Amino acid sequence: MENRVGKTLIILFFLFLPTVLSAQNTTKKKYVQKVEWDACEGAESYKVEIFSKDTKESMFIETEDTFVEFSIPVGSYKFRVIAYDILGREASVSNWKNLEIIKVKQKKQEEDYVDFFISMGCGGEFFLYDGKMSYYNGNECAFSPHCEITSLFADVKNMKMGINCFFAGSILSMEDSVQSVVIPNAVVTLDYMVQFPILKDKLFIRANAGAGVYLMQFAKFKSKNPGDKKPIEYSCSFTLKAGADFVWQPFKPFDVKIGCNFVNAFIKDMPTGILIPNVELAWRF
């Protein structure tokens, strides 16, 4: 029986996995390597000898499992596995196998991603629906400067997420044969933003949704005669906002953004829909 076990151990085919596992300890900067082999019938324990070709020294690891984990410096090594039977006798020794430990440059973890933008541009404001403003014969539009501050601070499966502060202002000047209205206004919102890649590192889509305030100053006139003006009225209304942008990043630190935002402002408790297209140039920090 003993000879049979011995022969079985001698013809044992050892499988090994000389792959470097990149499990890194960030404080001590250690890397963990792992070697595996097939279980041997009748073997009770194993000893792995790792020989350094650089220092000409050996290290030994004893185990009852069919693998060992260890941490050794970058360099050239060879190893072999020695099997022991139930009596503790050396039953089989594998051939030497080469083992190379190399240092691989790791990419920066995406979870540490932080990007900060300040963008400025221009566009327009188009009033889509509103029981009062629709009275002005479809002339409800104005030039609108924009400013945004964006921070993308998280990355999940190539989707970057963050927050965005949006500002747009305009002065509406609308009139008909009866009256004229001058309306300075501003939209200020805080948005949640998600960025999706289209072309790697060059073209992206950013979707945003948030809430804020819509500020307006009414200066109403009964007629074209400035002497007939009414007192100025002010309004601060709750606002919901959603939008999407195409973002092109030709080179750092500049981004070009083309998009459109939809704002629903509850002006004097009346829902008012405003479409705000925009073109912006961003400085990325």
Side-chain angles (χ1 to χ4, degrees), residues 218-236:
F218 292 89
K220 293 188 176 181
F221 300 83
K222 286 185 177 180
S223 67
K224 301 295 181 68
N225 184 355
D228 295 334
K229 67 180 181 179
K230 288 184 177 181
I232 293 176
E233 299 178 25
Y234 298 94
S235 173
C236 179

Side-chain angles (χ1 to χ4, degrees), residues 133-150:
M133 290 190 177
S134 61
Y135 172 75
Y136 296 100
N137 299 321
N139 296 321
E140 309 87 354
C141 61
F143 172 78
S144 176
H146 296 168
C147 179
E148 294 188 61
I149 300 175
T150 305

